[in-house]
Each structure stands twice: as structure tokens, then as C-alpha cells.
């Protein structure tokens, strides 16, 4: 037996033979980058990375894995933030990377669908849609490296959920290899299909615990003709909510983004992120980033943004505002929002929460969480920002200035409990976008009704009787 992995060298060779030695990583230095996730929160061990080139390769790998009870962890872009794609520390898990399965199989601008392999990079899918004058609206900070299989398996959200929905709403059909090695071809292109249990919806958001997504039919949309991006300085989350209500009424589905940012976040980004500057002349306690896209004419977007900001200035809700005058300026405003998490890194430790509450409860959540966190850690610097329009706040807390980073981060779970307690009291969710993975598995089991966790376990056992598919993630089976 191989002493590091617990998997015999013979068995490793059998797996390698399926994809060919050239498509296998065995050397520790080659495997190392796949063993750690983006924020360094999880570090695992694995004797081998397998890079299949086809759905049939994936099927052969999983069949052998089930026969030999060898755990397999699917990994695509390795940008997940809850440790779902990281193998466990035991060294018993093989990593299955879909990076070679990155083709766009078909684009149909008449039916408005695109068929991609599970390893297709999100940015490449966006480009392929643009190539036929269509939009694939999923957009994330990680879009240059995350891949469709991971996007679907985490039911990714991003910046345009308000108008287009998350991955669940953007997918019509799937091709999945089951842990037993069977292939389910559900690559249907139908908008209407009421034929029994929705298997597709089970695999979306399953974080690789039920099977491997090898292909997907994705929805495309008309490209927007008009786009306006504005930044408004405001006094409070309550005012942001009133502005959001007005924006929804004025713009309807043309409102594609409504983001909330605190002053502290703007200070962090202007301090640490190259090229970001504060476009308003005076500081404001909060900021709303508003994105409006229209598909009829450019004038419609212009009329909407002016009507909204004029109303805001007249009512006093908006203290000052700027409208991006060019595509470069639009990108610059979004860069401020998208780099807010990175900008916290140089400020020391940061305890993070990816939560959602009903949209109208956001001001109350901010107030209660703020009080509780400051009582627990005086001097904590709360940098809570996010997709206000979706009720999703990235409630990040930077350490007090001069505090000991390790001691601060040691309080991660204690502070999570405080913030999540408030979220749950408001009927919210402890994971709005990033999923459960390893990070929130035990907490999920604690907070959800027993029947819900039990049903998840029964589904897992039905799909994966040998428990080889990303074991230890989402729900514990042992
Ligand atoms: C800078 C940055 C910004 C981000 N912004 C957002 C955001 O706005 N919204 C958001 O929702 N997320 C965001 N994320 C999180 C992350 O990018 C998404 O979760 C993304 O969808 C993961 O894709 P991936 O290819 O990197 O998947 P991975 O990290 O490789 O895997 C994620 C999970 O999916 C499983 N998996 C991967 N591929 C497959 C497959 N083919 N079949 C079955 N299971 C599979 C893995 O086992 C794992 O559990 C961000 C991350 C970063 C680093």
C-alpha cells in the first residue's frame, strides 16, 4: 500500500490508465496548488489528479471508484469558497479535474441556448455568447478561472441575479456521470418540461456530492443595447432600500444590479487596489451601485438612470451621485465593488459571512448584527457589502487596527454563530451564494429541521451508495 494515500500503487495505475499517464498529476509539487482553496482556509491531501478528456473517461473513473470504494473530489476552477473542491486531509481522495473538458459544444442564437462542457471557463462561455450577439449573464469576480461545472455545482449567483437569476435559472439541461459510472443524458433544451422529479435541480448546487456534471445547456439572452452604471452616496441601508424600491418600480427587469457598499469598503479599495478612486467629492456613510441595462434602446437606460437619481436628489435620499460616462468608467465603478473582498486582505484578518435575508429586512439585519459584533469585538471594522437587490450581504469583519490576526481569526466560529443567529431570526440563509462544502456542513445540520437533513442523506445514499462522491461535504453520511 502507498503509505501517503492509503491507495495501492496498483489501483492508482488503474485509474491513470483510463486517462493516459500524460493526463495525470502524481508529483506532490504538481498536485500542491489543487490542495488549497482561494482563501487558504482548507488544505487537503491527494495522491493523484486525473484529467479526463471525455464523458466516457469520467464514467470509467467513477465506475472504478465505486467498485474499489475510492473517494473522488470533482474540481474545476478551484475558486470555491467553502472548501467543497478541496480533498480531505486523509490523503485518500483522488482529484477529478475537468480542465480538459472545456469545449463549447454548440451555440444556437435562435433558440437562445449554448451547450458547454463542464470544464468550460465561464469567461469563454460569455465570449462564445457574444460571438453570436447574445449575452450569458452569469458574471463573477472569478469568471476568468471558474468553470461551468463548478458554477452549476455551487449554483453560483454573481452580479446580475437581480435580472437573470442564478445558475439554477440559467440552465435548461445537464449531462451528468453518476458515481456508479452511469451517464445521465439530460441535455434538454426545453423551457417547459413537466415530466416528474427534476433531476437537474438536484445536481445543481449539490457541490459534487451526487455526480459529475460533464455538460450543460445554458440559456442566452439578447445583448443589452443601453447600459448605465451610477454610484450614489447615501446615508444608511434603510435609505438604500427606499432607493432600491424606486429603482425597481422605474426600471423593472432593466435593473440588473443594485449593490450596497459601506464607506469603509470604499476606503479599503481606494487605499489598496490599484486604479480605484472615489468618484464622489465628499465621503458618504454608504453607497449604492446601480446598473441598468435595456434591450430596446440606449435612451431608455439613460432616461431611467436620470429619473431615478433626480428623484433621489429631490427627496434627499441621494446625497450625491455620479453616472459613468464611458464603458471604462462603468468598469471602474464595478471594480470598486468587486475588489472589496481583496481590499480587506492588507487590513489583516477578516471573518466572513455570505448570508441572505428578505430584502426588506436588510436594514434591521445590519443594525442588529452591527451591535452584536461590536459588543463581541470592540474596534472590529465591519465591511458589509453585497447584492442588496437579492438580499445577499457579504458580512465581512476586519480585525481591529493593531489586533493580533491569529487571535482574531480564532473567533471565526463564535462570531459566525452571533451573525448567523440574527440571520436565522430574520428567516434568512447562512449561505446565499457560496454553498456548504466543509465550512458550513455541521452548522447546516444543526440549524435545519431533522427531516430536511435526513432527506438530503437519503438522496445522497440513493445516488451514491458507496459514498465515493466528494464525501464529507454538504452532508455527513458516516
Ligand atoms: C474572486 C472571487 C469572486 C467570487 N464571486 C462569486 C460571486 O459573486 N457569486 C458566487 O456565487 N460565487 C462567487 N465566488 C465563488 C466561486 O467562484 C464560485 O463558487 C464558482 O461557481 C466555483 O466554480 P469553480 O469552477 O471554481 O468550482 P470549484 O471551486 O472547482 O468547485 C466548487 C464545488 O463544485 C464541485 N464541482 C466542481 N466541478 C464539478 C463538476 N463538474 N461536477 C460536479 N461537481 C463539481 C466541487 O467539488 C466543489 O464542491 C467567487 C470566488 C472568488 C475567488
Amino acid at each position: 500500500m502507498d503509505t501517503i494515500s492509503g491507495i495501492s500503487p496498483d489501483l492508482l495505475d488503474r485509474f491513470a490508465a483510463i486517462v493516459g499517464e500524460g493526463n495525470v498529476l502524481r508529483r506532490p509539487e504538481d498536485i500542491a496548488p489543487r490542495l488549497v482553496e482561494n482563501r487558504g482556509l482548507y488544505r487537503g491531501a491527494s495522491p493523484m489528479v486525473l484529467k479526463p478528456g471525455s464523458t466516457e473517461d469520467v464514467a470509467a473513473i467513477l465506475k472504478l471508484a465505486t467498485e474499489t470504494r475510492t473517494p473522488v473530489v470533482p474540481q474545476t476552477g478551484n475558486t470555491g469558497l467553502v472548501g467543497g473542491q478541496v480533498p480531505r486531509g486523509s490523503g485518500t481522495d483522488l482529484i477529478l479535474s475537468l480542465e480538459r473538458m472545456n469545449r463549447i459544444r454548440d451555440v444556437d442564437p435562435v433558440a437562445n441556448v449554448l451547450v458547454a462542457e463542464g470544464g468550460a471557463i465561464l469567461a469563454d462561455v460569455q465570449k462564445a455568447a457574444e460571438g453570436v450577439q447574445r449575452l450569458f449573464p452569469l458574471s463573477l469576480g472569478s469568471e476568468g478561472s471558474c468553470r461551468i461545472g463548478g458554477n452549476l455545482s455551487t449554483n453560483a449567483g454573481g452580479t446580475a441575479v437581480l435580472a437573470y437569476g442564478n445558475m439554477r435559472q440559467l440552465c435548461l439541461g445537464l449531462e451528468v456521470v453518476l458515481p456508479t459510472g452511469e451517464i445521465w443524458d439530460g441535455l434538454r433544451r426545453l423551457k417547459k418540461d413537466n415530466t416528474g422529479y427534476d433531476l437537474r435541480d438536484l445536481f445543481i448546487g449539490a457541490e459534487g456530492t451526487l455526480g459529475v456534471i460533464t455538460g450543460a445547456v445554458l440559456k442566452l439572452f439578447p445583448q443589452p443595447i443601453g447600459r448605465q452604471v451610477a454610484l450614489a452616496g447615501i446615508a444608511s441601508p434603510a435609505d438604500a432600500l427606499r432607493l432600491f424600491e424606486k429603482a425597481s418600480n422605474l426600471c423593472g427587469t432593466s435593473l440588473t444590479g443594485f449593490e450596497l457598499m459601506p464607506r469603509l469598503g470604499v476606503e479599503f479599495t481606494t487605499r489598496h487596489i490599484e486604479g480605484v478612486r472615489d468618484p464622489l467629492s465628499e465621503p458618504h456613510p454608504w453607497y449604492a451601485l446601480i446598473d441598468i441595462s435595456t434591450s430596446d434602446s440606449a435612451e431608455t437606460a439613460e432616461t431611467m438612470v436620470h429619473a431615478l437619481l433626480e428623484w433621489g436628489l429631490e427627496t434627499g435620499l441621494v446625497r450625491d451621485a455620479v453616472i459613468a460616462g464611458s464603458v471604462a468608467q462603468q468598469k471602474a465603478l464595478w471594480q470598486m465593488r468587486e475588489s472589496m473582498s481583496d481590499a480587506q486582505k492588507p487590513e489583516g484578518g477578516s471573518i466572513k459571512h455570505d448570508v441572505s435575508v428578505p430584502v426588506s429586512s436588510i436594514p434591521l439585519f445590519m443594525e442588529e448584527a452591527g451591535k452584536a459584533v461590536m459588543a463581541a469585538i470592540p474596534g472590529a471594522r465591519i465591511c458589509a457589502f453585497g447584492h442588496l437587490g437579492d438580499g445577499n450581504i457579504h458580512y465581512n469583519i476586519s480585525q481591529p487596527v493593531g489586533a493580533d490576526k491569529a487571535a482574531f481569526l480564532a473567533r471565526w466560529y463564535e462570531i459566525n454563530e452571533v451573525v448567523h443567529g440574527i440571520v436565522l431570526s430574520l428567516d434568512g440563509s447562512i449561505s446565499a451564494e457560496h454553498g456548504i462544502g466543509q465550512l458550513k456542513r455541521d452548522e447546516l445540520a444543526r440549524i435545519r429541521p431533522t427531516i430536511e437533513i435526513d432527506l438530503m442523506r437519503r438522496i445522497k445514499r440513493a445516488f451514491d451508495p458507496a459514498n465515493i462522491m466528494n464525501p464529507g461535504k454538504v452532508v455527513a453520511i458516516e
Side-chain angles (χ1 to χ4, degrees), residues 99-255:
E99 64 199 66
R100 288 176 63 222
M101 293 182 61
N102 58 2
R103 289 181 313 133
I104 309 292
R105 290 185 189 163
D106 189 22
V107 190
D108 182 348
V110 177
N112 273 324
V113 295
L114 179 152
V115 186
E117 289 188 332
I121 293 178
L122 173 56
D124 292 341
V125 170
Q126 294 166 341
K127 273 187 223 125
E130 272 166 36
V132 293
Q133 282 77 52
R134 291 290 181 271
L135 172 78
F136 181 63
L138 183 74
S139 176
L140 319 175
S142 55
E143 63 198 21
S145 45
C146 64
R147 295 170 188 256
I148 292 302
N151 298 146
L152 285 161
S153 300
T154 57
N155 187 24
T159 52
V161 172
L162 197 53
Y164 299 100
N166 49 24
M167 257 328 233
R168 207 179 279 289
Q169 279 87 46
L170 296 176
C171 175
L172 291 172
L174 288 181
E175 176 188 88
V176 180
V177 180
L178 302 177
T180 50
E182 294 156 289
I183 298 170
W184 174 55
D185 180 355
L187 286 174
R188 299 182 192 121
R189 303 179 179 207
L190 305 172
K191 285 201 173 147
K192 292 190 162 184
D193 178 22
N194 285 344
T195 48
Y197 302 138
D198 197 329
L199 299 175
R200 176 199 57 184
D201 267 359
L202 269 179
F203 291 109
I204 298 175
E207 301 181 47
T209 59
L210 299 181
V212 175
I213 296 174
T214 48
V217 180
L218 304 172
K219 280 191 209 166
L220 302 181
F221 295 83
Q223 275 188 335
I225 295 173
R227 184 170 181 216
Q228 294 289 330
V229 179
L231 183 78
I234 47 182
S236 64
D239 282 0
L241 190 63
R242 289 176 58 202
L243 190 63
F244 169 67
E245 188 188 355
K246 184 70 179 178
S248 303
N249 291 342
L250 271 174
C251 310
T253 53
S254 297
L255 183 65

Side-chain angles (χ1 to χ4, degrees), residues 166-375:
N166 49 24
M167 257 328 233
R168 207 179 279 289
Q169 279 87 46
L170 296 176
C171 175
L172 291 172
L174 288 181
E175 176 188 88
V176 180
V177 180
L178 302 177
T180 50
E182 294 156 289
I183 298 170
W184 174 55
D185 180 355
L187 286 174
R188 299 182 192 121
R189 303 179 179 207
L190 305 172
K191 285 201 173 147
K192 292 190 162 184
D193 178 22
N194 285 344
T195 48
Y197 302 138
D198 197 329
L199 299 175
R200 176 199 57 184
D201 267 359
L202 269 179
F203 291 109
I204 298 175
E207 301 181 47
T209 59
L210 299 181
V212 175
I213 296 174
T214 48
V217 180
L218 304 172
K219 280 191 209 166
L220 302 181
F221 295 83
Q223 275 188 335
I225 295 173
R227 184 170 181 216
Q228 294 289 330
V229 179
L231 183 78
I234 47 182
S236 64
D239 282 0
L241 190 63
R242 289 176 58 202
L243 190 63
F244 169 67
E245 188 188 355
K246 184 70 179 178
S248 303
N249 291 342
L250 271 174
C251 310
T253 53
S254 297
L255 183 65
T256 45
F258 195 103
E259 304 283 313
L260 180 67
M261 298 182 284
R263 175 68 200 164
L264 185 65
V266 172
E267 282 171 14
F268 284 174
T269 51
T270 50
R271 196 180 302 158
H272 301 298
I273 306 292
E274 214 186 305
V276 174
R277 57 173 202 88
D278 181 353
L280 301 180
S281 51
E282 300 286 325
H284 301 278
W286 291 89
Y287 298 83
L289 178 65
I290 301 148
D291 198 325
I292 297 168
S293 305
T294 47
S295 49
D296 57 346
S297 75
E299 290 73 38
T300 317
E302 225 175 301
T303 308
M304 284 173 175
V305 80
H306 284 288
L308 177 66
L309 294 179
E310 276 162 25
W311 175 86
L313 289 163
E314 272 165 27
T315 54
L317 272 186
V318 171
R319 298 167 153 212
D320 192 9
V322 63
I323 300 172
S326 64
V327 173
Q329 283 178 17
Q330 291 176 348
K331 282 191 180 146
L333 289 182
W334 267 107
Q335 191 198 358
M336 178 186 278
R337 159 65 187 82
E338 286 184 336
S339 57
M340 209 147 271
S341 213
D342 278 348
Q344 281 184 275
K345 286 181 190 160
E347 296 287 332
S350 169
I351 297 176
K352 298 180 191 291
H353 307 82
D354 161 41
V355 298
S356 66
V357 293
V359 176
S360 48
S361 301
I362 282 187
L364 182 59
F365 165 68
M366 292 290 209
E367 197 187 320
E368 293 202 352
K371 273 194 232 152
V373 167
M374 296 312 279

